[in-house]
């Protein structure tokens, strides 16, 4: 078993809560559909959390936001069969010209499943601000930034994967709009946090720091101005477009990388730089998340609920195909991390996080 630590950054209000819950609920349905090819496990505590949030969304109510200082740790496990791993290898080979050279991975024949343990750290936006205030204070005092960061927040710095949730409702081409500055600020925040994590990993692990995997998710994608979508070649009925393109990711990847290039150049430049503080970075992987909404009787946007394909049950109208791609990608990078650390089969690694 190999531990992959994942830090989820950004996303205001209910953004991270909804994202993690939709990821978990997709994994549940994906495991049922694929049967022996993919498996999902979690703790009773996390099961309850996900159930409550998804139940709230299906009742067309928004869950509460992450509270300041609540470094909530969610733990769950994905199991990838050898057959599915072969499929993922072929899938990522087809994207080689977009995301760079990708090495194939194999699960030993003697193992039916490769079980991967995930620790997902949900950090509030206020906590991220604390990290950067600590960095500014360290510069004033001439001390190490790592010494100034509170211990309860250092977990985010020790992650193998940084998932940045980019609030699409703040994307604008109007430089007089207050959201324009927020968009520029978040670009700087993502680039700075990647550099800070690289510094931490380099100082803590030296030459064995391992690769850092930055992942970008455009949340609330349904709120993007349709004029912006059209300019980037994405039709107004984007939900149907994502579904139709799910079997061939090339067009989607090209459009989403263009999104990053147009609105988050600093961040993309850091990723394309390849290495920070001796820590190698994986090329950018970009995903989309949306939960379609409709107006309630009071005129307030609430989650949209639709009839499931079986015609009996109900489901949320959300970017399910993107979450499945997200799950598949994690199967690929978890094996890369495992190989990079050269952990013997059956030996649990020491992560430095007290586990």
């Amino acid at each position: 078993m190999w531990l992959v630590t994942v830090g989820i950054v950004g996303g205001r209000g209910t953004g991270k809560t909804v994202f993690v819950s939709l990821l978990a609920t997709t994994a549940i349905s994906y495991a049922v559909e694929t049967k022996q090819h993919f498996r999902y496990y979690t703790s009773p505590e996390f099961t309850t959390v996900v159930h409550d949030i998804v139940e709230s969304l299906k009742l067309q109510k928004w869950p509460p936001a992450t509270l300041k200082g609540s470094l909530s740790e969610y733990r769950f496990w994905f199991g990838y069969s050898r057959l599915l791993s072969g499929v993922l290898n072929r899938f990522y080979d087809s994207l080689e010209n977009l995301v760079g050279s990708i090495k194939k991975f194999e699960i030993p024949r003697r193992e039916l499943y490769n079980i991967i343990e995930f620790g997902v750290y949900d950090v509030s936006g206020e906590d991220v601000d604390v990290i950067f205030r600590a960095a500014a204070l360290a510069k004033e005092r001439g001390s190490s930034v790592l010494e100034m960061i509170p211990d309860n927040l250092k977990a985010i710095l020790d992650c193998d994967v940084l998932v940045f949730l980019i609030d699409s409702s703040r994307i604008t081409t109007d430089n007089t709009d207050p959201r324009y500055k927020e968009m520029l600020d978040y670009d700087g925040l993502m680039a700075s946090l990647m550099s800070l994590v690289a510094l931490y990993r380099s100082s803590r692990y030296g030459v064995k720091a391992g690769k850092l995997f930055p992942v970008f998710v455009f949340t609330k994608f349904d709120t993007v101005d349709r004029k912006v979508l059209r300019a980037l070649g994405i039709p107004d009925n984007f939900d149907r477009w994502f579904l139709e393109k799910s079997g061939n990711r090339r067009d989607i990847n090209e459009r989403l990388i263009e999104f990053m290039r147009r609105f988050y150049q600093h961040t993309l430049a850091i990723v394309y730089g390849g290495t920070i503080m001796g820590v190698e970075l994986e090329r950018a992987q970009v995903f989309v998340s949306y939960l379609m909404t409709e107006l309630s009787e009071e005129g307030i946007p609430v989650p949209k609920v639709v009839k499931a394909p079986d015609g009996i049950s109900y489901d949320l109208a959300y970017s399910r195909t993107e979450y499945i791609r997200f799950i598949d990608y994690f199967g690929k990078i978890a094996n890369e991390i495992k190989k990079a650390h050269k952990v013997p089969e059956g030996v649990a690694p020491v992560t430095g996080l007290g586990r």
Side-chain angles (χ1 to χ4, degrees):
M1 182 179 293
W2 177 250
L3 176 63
V4 178
T5 50
V6 184
I8 299 184
V9 180
R12 300 189 178 187
T14 60
K16 287 188 293 294
T17 304
V18 170
F19 174 79
V20 173
S21 298
L22 291 180
L23 174 61
T25 199
T26 304
I28 292 168
S29 63
Y30 193 38
V32 172
E33 292 170 8
T34 59
K35 296 179 181 177
Q36 71 271 25
H37 299 311
F38 172 77
R39 291 185 175 181
Y40 166 82
Y41 310 86
T42 189
S43 65
E45 296 80 9
F46 187 49
T47 298
T48 301
V49 170
V50 170
H51 174 269
D52 290 346
I53 293 173
V54 173
E55 179 184 72
S56 175
L57 294 173
K58 286 188 174 182
L59 292 174
Q60 299 189 299
K61 299 177 182 178
W62 297 107
T66 302
L67 300 177
K68 179 180 179 180
S70 61
L71 186 64
S72 306
E73 183 185 352
Y74 304 115
R75 301 179 68 78
F76 51 94
W77 295 260
F78 287 171
Y80 297 87
S81 72
R82 288 177 293 173
L83 177 60
L84 181 60
S85 297
V87 171
L88 294 181
N89 278 328
R90 291 192 293 274
F91 173 79
Y92 280 96
D93 281 345
S94 69
L95 301 180
E96 198 169 36
N97 64 322
L98 291 176
V99 296
S101 178
I102 298 174
K103 296 181 180 179
K104 291 186 177 181
F105 60 87
E106 295 179 357
I107 295 176
R109 290 185 179 275
R110 65 179 179 275
E111 294 186 5
L112 182 60
Y113 288 91
N114 188 26
I115 307 299
I116 304 159
E117 181 181 4
F118 290 83
V120 179
Y121 298 94
D122 183 2
V123 184
S124 71
E126 291 86 349
D127 290 330
V128 174
D129 290 340
V130 168
I131 292 176
F132 286 97
R133 283 200 297 273
L137 187 60
K139 183 178 180 181
E140 277 183 27
R141 297 182 178 180
S143 56
S144 169
V145 62
L146 301 179
E147 296 175 1
M148 305 301 295
I149 295 175
D151 289 338
N152 70 314
L153 293 180
K154 284 185 178 178
I156 191 69
L157 302 183
D158 210 5
C159 291
D160 300 301
V161 186
L162 276 179
V163 178
F164 293 96
L165 302 186
I166 302 173
D167 188 343
S168 299
S169 67
R170 301 182 186 280
I171 293 177
T172 179
T173 56
D174 180 2
N175 61 4
T176 65
D177 189 319
R179 294 177 302 165
Y180 188 77
K181 182 179 184 304
E182 293 182 10
M183 185 178 71
L184 297 179
D185 287 345
Y186 193 58
D187 186 21
L189 182 148
M190 290 191 290
S192 298
L193 188 54
M194 277 192 289
S195 297
L196 189 57
V197 171
L199 173 62
Y200 179 87
R201 291 173 71 87
S202 178
S203 64
R204 185 177 179 87
Y205 303 110
V207 295
K208 296 181 179 180
K211 184 183 288 188
L212 175 63
F213 294 81
V215 176
F216 307 99
V217 181
F218 284 100
T219 63
K220 303 180 185 177
F221 197 76
D222 53 301
T223 64
V224 178
D225 190 316
R226 295 302 186 267
K227 291 185 293 185
V228 174
L229 290 181
R230 292 178 205 132
L232 296 177
I234 299 177
D236 289 0
N237 58 338
F238 61 88
D239 52 334
R240 181 184 294 275
W241 185 76
F242 276 108
L243 184 60
E244 291 174 349
K245 295 286 186 180
S246 60
N248 181 3
R249 290 294 313 182
R250 181 163 300 178
D251 283 352
I252 292 179
N253 278 328
E254 287 177 348
R255 301 298 188 275
L256 296 183
I257 291 295
E258 184 64 14
F259 250 82
M260 292 294 298
R261 190 183 73 80
R262 293 290 184 91
F263 301 108
Y264 300 97
Q265 284 192 355
H266 191 175
T267 298
L268 199 58
I270 292 290
V271 174
Y272 283 174
T275 304
I276 311 176
M277 310 290 181
V279 176
E280 187 179 355
L281 273 72
E282 175 73 342
R283 280 298 185 95
Q285 286 292 325
V286 189
F287 302 87
V288 159
S289 171
Y290 57 81
L291 176 58
M292 303 298 281
T293 61
E294 59 186 7
L295 296 179
S296 66
E297 293 180 358
E298 293 78 22
I300 300 173
V302 295
K304 183 178 181 180
V305 178
V306 296
K307 273 284 186 71
D310 58 19
I312 301 173
S313 57
Y314 290 87
D315 203 355
L316 296 166
Y318 75 105
S319 52
R320 185 176 184 276
T321 56
E322 284 290 284
Y323 279 94
I324 290 175
R325 188 171 72 97
F326 190 90
I327 290 170
D328 289 347
Y329 176 69
F330 268 57
K332 176 255 176 185
I333 63 175
N335 277 274
E336 279 201 7
I337 294 170
K338 180 178 179 179
K339 283 190 173 185
H341 286 265
K342 299 179 180 179
V343 178
E345 292 297 331
V347 178
V350 177
T351 67
L353 293 177
R355 283 191 287 272

